[in-house]
Amino acid sequence: MRWLQVRATVTKDQVQLAETLLESLGAVSVILDDAQDQALLEPLPGEMPLWDQVVVTGLFYEDSDVEQLEDFLSTQLPGANVHHDYLEEQVWERAWMDHYEPIQCGDRLWIVPEWLSPPDDNAINLMLDPGLAFGTGNHASTFLCLQWLDQQDLKDKVVIDYGCGSGILGIAALLLGAKQVYAVDLDPQAVLSTQQNAELNKVEDKIWAGLPEEFEQQFPNLQADVIVANILAGPLMHLAPTFATLAKPQALIAMAGIIEEQVEDLRQSYAKWFNLHTLGQREENWCRLSGERLASV
């Protein structure tokens, strides 16, 4: 069996109408995608930003009347580029899994999807179920943080992974020698994913995972040897005083999820408490900023 995909490339003002039309025509599902490779960064709480040009795709049964569908959409959506193609039936779970491959992050660390065998049995292999939370090692900002962790001496260190996502950074820190990790995230799904991945790597007894308010209530006086945060520039700037409180004197810190144009503003936001002196960069303009907590302020 095949599926019919009818696509309409529209302006963001037409998106809601295009969705409604496709649903009224019997679409099994409707998805939105970027038509022009336009980056969307840091939406404010409650916002759902859209690209300037959006591809709205309706999925229909193969025997649907494609000519009638396209004619109707073209009439109702002036200026829209309407076209179609067919999608072959496949085992979707298998197709999703095939997207991932082991990733080497530095000299010692590999990130390995749990259904694959490690390429190097002698390496430090972090087995990962990507699940629904952010953080697989594929994104440049996650890779930059993993690479930084691989370069550090983490033996017996206390680490805070703020914005933990899948838990990949905190778990990597434990496998690299840290004695305890506190993983914090706003998303309950991320907390669950972190706990599950910790169990998968047999480090669940060394990691605490929870929401920010739970962390503050349970560990009001905690200070860490290492802080790693893969979020975005806006939240990172807001968190500067919090990280200053959580970091021991001369504690190490690494932050990613920032682009090159944001680096200097972030450095200035932290200058009162941290010496951020090392810049790591990867493709697509993503950067990592790292350094250490000042001994005294």
Side-chain angles (χ1 to χ4, degrees), residues 61-119:
Y61 291 107
E62 181 182 10
D63 58 0
S64 301
D65 188 332
V66 62
E67 184 175 346
Q68 184 179 21
L69 290 171
E70 289 188 333
D71 287 346
F72 181 76
L73 289 170
S74 296
T75 301
Q76 299 297 319
L77 297 168
N81 177 14
V82 180
H83 60 284
H84 75 277
D85 57 23
Y86 287 92
L87 185 67
E88 297 294 335
E89 185 70 89
Q90 58 182 306
V91 180
W92 293 107
E93 182 180 3
R94 183 71 255 170
W96 172 78
M97 293 168 67
D98 288 344
H99 175 72
Y100 292 98
E101 295 180 355
I103 303 169
Q104 186 174 12
C105 305
D107 296 327
R108 300 176 288 168
L109 180 65
W110 281 83
I111 307 302
V112 185
E114 65 167 328
W115 54 86
L116 297 178
S117 299

Side-chain angles (χ1 to χ4, degrees), residues 158-160 182 222-227 245-249 251-252:
V158 174
V159 178
I160 293 174
Y182 299 89
L222 177 69
Q223 286 195 308
D225 302 295
V226 179
I227 296 175
T245 301
L246 292 172
K248 292 180 180 179
L252 301 177

Side-chain angles (χ1 to χ4, degrees), residues 189-238:
Q189 176 62 47
V191 173
L192 176 61
S193 182
T194 294
Q195 293 166 339
Q196 292 173 338
N197 282 316
E199 292 176 7
L200 184 61
N201 288 276
K202 299 178 172 58
V203 295
E204 66 271 21
D205 58 330
K206 298 180 181 179
I207 190 167
W208 176 94
L211 303 174
E213 56 270 24
E214 296 171 335
F215 177 67
E216 293 169 7
Q217 291 168 4
Q218 294 186 41
F219 309 104
N221 301 312
L222 177 69
Q223 286 195 308
D225 302 295
V226 179
I227 296 175
V228 60
N230 181 24
I231 317 177
L232 286 171
L236 286 172
M237 291 179 188
H238 177 74

Side-chain angles (χ1 to χ4, degrees), residues 106-179:
D107 296 327
R108 300 176 288 168
L109 180 65
W110 281 83
I111 307 302
V112 185
E114 65 167 328
W115 54 86
L116 297 178
S117 299
D120 181 359
D121 289 332
N122 296 318
I124 296 173
N125 293 299
L126 192 163
M127 309 304 292
L128 187 73
D129 175 7
L132 297 177
F134 177 79
T136 64
N138 285 288
H139 192 276
S141 62
T142 309
F143 178 89
L144 285 165
C145 289
L146 290 166
Q147 184 184 56
W148 181 84
L149 286 168
D150 181 78
Q151 296 166 353
Q152 309 309 311
D153 178 6
L154 299 177
K155 182 175 174 56
D156 295 329
K157 296 292 195 297
V158 174
V159 178
I160 293 174
D161 176 6
Y162 212 98
C164 59
S166 66
I168 187 171
L169 301 182
I171 295 167
L174 289 170
L175 296 178
L176 290 163
K179 69 177 180 181

